[in-house]
């Protein structure tokens, strides 16, 4: 501010009756007003960069009444700029890169400086740039701050880092202006402007002739002044005597060339190889080709050293063939091996028995002839893979191995046979010439022209057979019915012997049996039942025998009914005969569960009739000390007499000391498969009142038909 502003009212007569007040931006802090004169003053130094404009409001009021004498006035105070701020760069230190060998004027980086002064007022904020350090390599544009290269062919290999100092000055660079500086660190990046170079022109290595392919022999390295991918080197063998015997690969980490063996060496054939190895850069910039070819070459000499080598077979593997019917000591073929050294030591042969555990083959140790020592079977093993060993006689440590594959050729020595077990059925209402089964055959042999089977019924079954065989000429055959209708009660099963023959030499044949069951079928030909037991017993029982069996069953049922009636009329015996005959009965149970067999006490019948105690009587509620092993009675077969079977079981139960006491019902049943008869039980007979109703036995009449497949028996002891 050039001068302090002043506020004066026309109502002010100078008698001190008016009072001036100030409000707005900075009032009372930055700005104060003299309440008597109205002069406005600044209390602090003002900075335009902090706030360029202030808005104030002033008013004159009556000192006594406090009322304004005039409307409020507004003042706008603008702060004029002075050059009190120097240019400041956006970064204290700049970092930049530029490729080496760049042309003059190549852009490097742009620096920027700002001035806080008012750019619209004078030259306080006008900045110009100049370079204080970094000539003659770099230059800067005064108005933009762009740094460029100023020297041609700057070489990174000579100098890589540069430090440039740039100055920014305001007032347009005039005298008296303020300035600021910054540092720019510039790095030259590498370009491929240097070819690889071998430090020496000739290299020499040695390797034994036994070195396998891939064995490293030595390393060579060419140097390259560049870095990164520009220093990557590829090695190659361009010419020489061992062009096809050796190879060179590049170690990507060390950039070395590794010479390796490519093929097996032989000291006796060649002792020294000369190679020309070339090193080149894979990444070449065309603009530097004028500097010359970016590659170099060196000579590599490789000397092969002699070693004592094992015998070498004439082949890497041998394949031989022999017929499976060859006799023992039949020669199959031979193998050959010799010592590759100049001494030509003699060789002996042997079979590695780990590969021929059964000693099926043998070898002549002198000439390598392979012959059989056992009979062969192609169907057991088609290929025999064995190993033959060749060993120097003068140096047994030198030996080599070779695989020998022996294929056993097929001879027709196995007859064809059914591919599976055939069991089929024919419907009782089948028509003639109806296909009921398709047959297939297999043969362990493997003829050259493939299998050709023929099918036919055996001569003994061809005449009078109820079925025919039709050969389909495709290694299958069909079984056809020969008549209309079959009766399973007359013949339930047919066994058809079928002869199968092959078409090889010598002809082999076998006979297989096809089981055909006669079954009842529905109208669609689906099998329903193949059993004829309901009408015809498997053993051929006549109708009279079946009637006799049924009469036995009826007799047994009548016996059961009479026994139940007698038991119902039996008078109950009182538990206590007289009042004096009262005794304590201590009953001990050692485990859970109920029933008379669980009670470890004396016979409760003693309480009813003490005089009836018989010491010699066998207690049936206590297991005797002697061990009675249970006797297994063979199950009744279909042809077993039912009456004998039931009597035998009754007798066994009556004499069995381990049988349960008192009332018990033992059922002996042979129901057969699929019986629909219900079971009988007398579990309710153990009730305390002893009056068991056996009227349910009268229901057996309607069930008589169901009992055709079941035979049973009831047993009870004498006390029941």
């Amino acid at each position: 501010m050039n001068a302090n502003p002043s506020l004066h009212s026309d109502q002010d007569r100078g008698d001190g009756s008016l009072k001036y007040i100030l409000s707005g931006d900075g009032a009372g802090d930055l700005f104060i007003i003299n309440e008597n004169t109205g002069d406005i003053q600044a209390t602090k130094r003002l900075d335009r960069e902090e706030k360029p404009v202030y808005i104030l409001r002033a008013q004159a009021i009556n000192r006594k009444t406090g009322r304004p004498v005039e409307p409020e006035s507004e003042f706008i105070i603008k702060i004029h700029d002075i050059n009190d701020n120097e240019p400041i760069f956006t970064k204290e230190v700049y970092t930049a890169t530029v490729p080496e060998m760049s042309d003059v004027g190549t852009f490097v980086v742009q620096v920027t400086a700002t001035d806080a002064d008012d750019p619209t007022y004078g030259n306080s904020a006008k900045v110009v740039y100049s370079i204080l350090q970094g000539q003659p390599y770099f230059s800067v544009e005064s108005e933009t701050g762009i740094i460029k290269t100023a020297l041609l062919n700057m070489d990174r290999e000579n100098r890589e880092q540069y430090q440039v100092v740039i100055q920014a000055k305001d007032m347009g660079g005039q005298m008296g202006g303020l300035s600021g500086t910054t540092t720019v660190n510039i790095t030259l990046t590498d370009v491929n402007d240097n070819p690889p170079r071998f430090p020496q022109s000739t290299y020499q290595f040695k390797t034994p002739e036994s070195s396998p392919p891939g064995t490293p022999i030595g390393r060579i390295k060419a140097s390259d002044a560049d870095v990164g991918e520009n220093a990557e080197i590829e090695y190659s063998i361009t010419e020489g005597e061992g062009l096809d015997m050796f190879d060179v690969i590049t170690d990507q980490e060390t950039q070395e060339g590794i010479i390796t063996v490519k093929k097996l060496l032989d000291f006796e054939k060649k002792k020294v190889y000369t190679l020309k190895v070339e090193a080149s850069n894979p990444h070449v910039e065309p603009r530097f080709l004028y500097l010359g070819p970016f590659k170099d070459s060196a000579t590599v000499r490789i000397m092969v050293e002699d070693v004592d080598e094992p015998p070498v077979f004439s082949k890497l593997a041998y394949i031989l063939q022999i017929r499976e019917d060859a006799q023992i000591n039949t020669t199959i073929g031979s193998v050959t091996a010799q010592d590759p050294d100049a001494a030509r030591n003699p060789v002996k042969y042997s079979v590695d028995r780990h590969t021929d555990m059964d000693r099926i083959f043998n070898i002549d140790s002198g000439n390598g002839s392979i012959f059989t020592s056992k009979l062969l079977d192609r169907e057991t093993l088609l290929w025999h893979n064995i190993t033959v060993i060749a060993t120097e006689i003068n140096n047994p440590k030198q030996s080599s191995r070779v695989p020998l594959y022996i294929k056993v050729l097929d001879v027709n020595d196995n007859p064809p046979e059914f591919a599976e077990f055939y069991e089929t059925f024919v419907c009782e209402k089948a028509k003639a010439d109806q296909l009921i089964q398709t047959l297939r055959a297999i043969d362990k042999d493997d003829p050259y022209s493939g299998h050709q089977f023929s099918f036919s019924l055996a001569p003994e079954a061809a005449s009078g057979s109820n079925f025919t065989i039709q050969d389909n000429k495709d290694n299958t055959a069909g079984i056809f019915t020969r008549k209309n209708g079959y009766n399973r009660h007359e013949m339930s099963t047919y066994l058809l012997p079928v002869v199968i023959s092959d078409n090889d030499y010598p002809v082999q044949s076998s006979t297989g049996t096809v089981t055909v069951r006669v079954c009842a079928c529905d109208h669609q030909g689906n099998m329903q039942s193949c059993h004829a037991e309901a009408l015809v017993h498997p053993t051929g029982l006549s109708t009279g025998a079946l009637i006799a069996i049924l009469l036995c069953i009826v007799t047994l049922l009548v016996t059961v009914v009479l026994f139940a009636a007698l038991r119902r009329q039996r008078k109950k015996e009182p538990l206590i005969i007289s009042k004096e005959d009262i005794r304590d009965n201590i009953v001990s149970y050692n485990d859970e569960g109920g029933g008379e067999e669980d009670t470890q006490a004396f016979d409760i019948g003693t309480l009813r009739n003490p005089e009836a105690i018989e010491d010699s009587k066998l207690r049936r509620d206590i297991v005797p000390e002697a061990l009675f092993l249970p006797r297994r009675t063979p199950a009744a077969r279909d042809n077993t007499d039912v009456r004998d079977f039931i009597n035998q079981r009754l007798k066994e139960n009556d004499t069995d000391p381990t049988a349960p006491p008192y009332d018990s019902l033992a059922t002996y049943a042979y129901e057969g498969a699929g019986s629909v008869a219900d079971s009988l039980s007398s579990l309710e007979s153990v009730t305390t009142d002893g009056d068991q109703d056996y009227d349910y036995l009268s229901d057996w009449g309607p069930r008589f038909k169901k009992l055709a497949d079941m035979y049973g028996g009831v047993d009870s002891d004498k006390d029941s």
Side-chain angles (χ1 to χ4, degrees):
M1 296 179 59
N2 296 328
N4 294 330
S6 177
L7 178 65
H8 184 74
S9 175
D10 294 339
Q11 302 291 332
D12 189 359
R13 294 188 294 272
D15 55 0
S17 61
L18 297 181
K19 179 181 179 181
Y20 296 95
I21 59 176
L22 185 66
S23 63
D25 296 338
D29 183 15
L30 293 177
F31 301 99
I32 60 174
I33 189 171
N34 190 319
E35 62 180 12
N36 296 322
T37 62
D39 294 335
I40 299 174
Q41 296 179 345
T43 62
K44 297 180 181 178
R45 180 180 178 85
L46 301 178
D47 190 352
R48 187 201 67 83
E49 284 70 38
E50 292 183 2
K51 190 174 180 64
V53 177
Y54 294 88
I55 300 176
L56 299 173
R57 292 179 296 278
Q59 193 174 29
I61 61 174
N62 189 294
R63 191 182 292 273
K64 292 181 179 181
T65 62
R67 294 181 178 179
V69 297
E70 286 186 2
E72 187 178 60
S73 299
E74 183 179 83
F75 294 89
I76 297 176
I77 301 176
K78 294 183 178 181
I79 309 301
H80 292 291
D81 185 41
I82 61 174
N83 190 19
D84 58 346
N85 292 281
E86 70 277 2
I88 298 177
F89 283 94
T90 55
K91 295 181 181 179
E92 293 183 0
V93 177
Y94 287 83
T95 301
T97 60
V98 64
E100 64 173 330
M101 310 298 290
S102 297
D103 296 333
V104 175
T106 301
F107 174 85
V108 180
V109 70
Q110 183 177 13
V111 297
T112 303
T114 59
D115 196 315
D117 293 327
D118 187 2
T120 63
Y121 185 78
N123 293 328
S124 299
K126 186 177 181 181
V127 178
V128 294
Y129 301 92
S130 60
I131 184 168
L132 301 181
Q133 178 182 320
Q135 291 117 341
Y137 308 103
F138 301 96
S139 63
V140 63
E141 292 182 355
S142 61
E143 295 183 357
T144 62
I146 295 175
I147 300 175
K148 299 180 180 180
T149 59
L151 188 63
L152 185 63
N153 296 332
M154 285 189 292
D155 192 357
R156 184 199 65 83
E157 286 72 34
N158 293 331
R159 181 178 178 182
E160 185 176 6
Q161 299 288 339
Y162 294 87
Q163 190 175 72
V164 179
V165 178
I166 303 297
Q167 180 188 66
K169 190 174 184 180
D170 60 12
M171 297 299 292
Q174 298 178 4
M175 295 291 294
L178 302 178
S179 64
T181 60
T182 187
T183 300
V184 182
N185 292 325
I186 302 175
T187 302
L188 296 183
T189 58
D190 185 60
V191 296
N192 193 10
D193 59 341
N194 293 280
R197 291 287 182 263
F198 280 107
Q200 60 192 67
S201 60
T202 303
Y203 295 86
Q204 186 167 311
F205 302 104
K206 295 180 180 180
T207 183
E209 62 174 332
S210 60
S211 298
T215 302
I217 298 175
R219 291 173 175 257
I220 58 177
K221 184 177 182 179
S223 59
D224 194 319
D226 297 320
V227 295
E229 69 174 15
N230 297 319
E232 293 179 0
I233 301 175
E234 289 182 349
Y235 297 90
S236 61
I237 300 176
T238 57
E239 57 183 74
E241 300 169 343
L243 187 63
D244 59 340
M245 301 298 296
F246 301 93
D247 198 2
V248 60
I249 58 176
T250 302
D251 188 330
Q252 298 298 332
E253 294 183 0
T254 63
Q255 295 301 311
E256 292 178 309
I258 305 174
I259 308 296
T260 61
V261 177
K262 189 176 182 180
K263 292 184 179 181
L264 291 175
L265 303 174
D266 190 350
F267 174 81
E268 287 71 27
K269 291 183 179 180
K270 192 170 182 61
K271 301 177 177 58
V272 179
Y273 292 89
T274 302
L275 308 175
K276 183 179 181 181
V277 180
E278 185 176 86
S280 60
N281 290 137
H283 307 286
V284 178
E285 296 189 26
R287 64 191 182 102
F288 297 119
L289 291 178
Y290 71 93
L291 298 176
F294 281 75
K295 58 185 177 180
D296 194 14
S297 60
T299 300
V300 178
R301 290 172 56 85
I302 301 174
M303 291 181 292
V304 180
E305 297 177 332
D306 186 28
V307 295
D308 188 4
E309 299 175 276
V312 177
F313 283 94
S314 60
K315 297 180 181 179
L316 296 179
Y318 292 85
I319 300 178
L320 303 177
Q321 295 180 345
I322 185 173
R323 288 169 54 92
E324 64 175 319
D325 60 350
Q327 299 300 316
I328 297 177
N329 293 328
T330 300
T331 301
I332 306 173
S334 62
V335 297
T336 304
Q338 63 179 3
D339 182 11
D341 298 322
R344 299 299 182 189
N345 293 322
V347 175
K348 66 178 181 178
Y349 303 94
S350 62
V351 175
D352 185 353
R353 290 306 173 188
H354 291 90
T355 61
D356 185 23
M357 301 289 289
D358 297 330
R359 296 180 176 270
I360 300 175
F361 302 97
N362 214 331
I363 189 171
D364 188 304
S365 62
N367 58 24
S369 297
I370 309 294
F371 56 91
T372 60
S373 56
K374 289 185 179 180
L375 296 178
L376 304 174
D377 185 5
R378 188 201 70 88
E379 287 70 39
T380 302
L381 188 59
L382 175 61
W383 284 92
H384 294 268
N385 304 329
I386 65 175
T387 300
V388 175
I389 305 173
T391 306
E392 290 185 13
I393 296 178
N394 298 335
N395 186 6
K397 293 183 179 180
Q398 294 296 333
S399 64
S400 58
R401 298 167 176 262
V402 68
L404 176 60
Y405 307 104
I406 302 174
K407 182 179 181 180
V408 182
L409 301 179
D410 185 42
V411 174
N412 191 30
D413 57 348
N414 291 279
E417 56 188 17
F418 280 140
E420 59 183 279
F421 174 75
Y422 287 104
E423 182 176 4
T424 185
F425 73 95
V426 62
C427 296
E428 288 184 303
K429 297 181 180 180
K431 303 297 182 182
D433 297 328
Q434 180 178 328
L435 176 65
I436 63 172
Q437 180 65 49
T438 300
L439 306 178
R440 291 178 175 82
I442 58 174
D443 194 334
K444 295 180 180 179
D445 294 322
D446 187 18
Y448 178 77
S449 58
H451 292 296
Q452 295 180 12
F453 302 133
S454 60
F455 301 82
S456 63
L457 282 176
E460 64 271 14
S463 60
S465 175
N466 292 286
F467 303 91
T468 59
I469 295 291
Q470 179 178 318
D471 194 335
N472 298 327
K473 306 302 180 181
D474 60 353
N475 293 336
T476 65
I479 300 179
F480 290 84
T481 57
R482 196 172 186 177
K483 65 177 183 176
N484 295 325
Y486 294 82
N487 192 335
R488 59 185 171 131
H489 304 300
E490 295 179 357
M491 180 65 72
S492 62
T493 303
Y494 294 90
L495 301 178
L496 300 181
V498 179
V499 178
I500 314 167
S501 302
D502 57 23
N503 196 31
D504 206 352
Y505 180 82
V507 175
Q508 299 286 345
S509 63
S510 66
T511 302
T513 301
V514 180
T515 303
V516 182
R517 295 171 60 87
V518 182
C519 302
C521 303
D522 57 17
H523 64 281
Q524 295 180 349
N526 298 320
M527 180 180 66
Q528 290 183 331
S529 174
C530 295
H531 300 283
E533 291 82 354
L535 297 177
V536 179
H537 198 275
T539 58
L541 290 179
S542 64
T543 304
L546 293 176
I547 294 175
I549 294 174
L550 293 177
L551 289 176
C552 292
I553 296 174
V554 172
T555 303
L556 180 62
L557 294 177
V558 172
T559 303
V560 173
V561 173
L562 292 177
F563 172 79
L566 292 175
R567 180 176 177 81
R568 180 176 300 178
Q569 295 176 2
R570 190 173 184 178
K571 183 179 178 181
K572 297 182 179 179
E573 184 181 16
L575 179 63
I576 302 176
I577 299 176
S578 64
K579 295 182 180 179
E580 291 80 16
D581 193 12
I582 300 175
R583 310 179 188 187
D584 292 335
N585 181 22
I586 301 175
V587 181
S588 173
Y589 292 88
N590 290 334
D591 54 7
E592 295 183 0
E596 295 168 346
E597 294 184 63
D598 293 336
T599 306
Q600 303 297 321
F602 55 79
D603 190 351
I604 197 168
T606 306
L607 295 178
R608 298 192 182 101
N609 190 2
E611 290 81 12
I613 300 177
E614 297 179 8
D615 295 335
S616 62
K617 183 179 181 180
L618 182 62
R619 292 278 302 278
R620 301 188 65 183
D621 58 339
I622 300 178
V623 179
E625 294 181 358
L627 179 61
F628 290 87
L629 297 178
R631 289 172 294 177
R632 296 185 178 178
T633 303
R637 299 183 179 178
D638 294 343
N639 59 353
T640 303
D641 187 84
V642 178
R643 184 183 298 277
D644 294 339
F645 168 71
I646 294 175
N647 290 335
Q648 180 183 356
R649 287 298 177 91
L650 288 172
K651 183 179 179 180
E652 290 177 357
N653 192 73
D654 287 337
T655 59
D656 187 2
T658 63
Y662 306 112
D663 295 341
S664 63
L665 175 63
T667 301
Y668 312 104
Y670 179 71
E671 296 180 358
S675 175
V676 295
D678 296 333
S679 298
L680 299 179
S681 174
S682 62
L683 295 179
E684 296 181 1
S685 64
V686 297
T687 56
T688 57
D689 56 4
D691 291 332
Q692 174 64 35
D693 187 4
Y694 289 90
D695 291 341
Y696 63 85
L697 294 175
S698 62
D699 295 337
W700 276 48
R703 302 184 185 181
F704 180 76
K705 187 176 181 179
K706 296 184 179 179
L707 293 174
D709 296 327
M710 181 187 76
Y711 309 133
V714 180
D715 175 39
S716 178
D717 59 27
K718 297 178 181 180
D719 295 336
S720 299

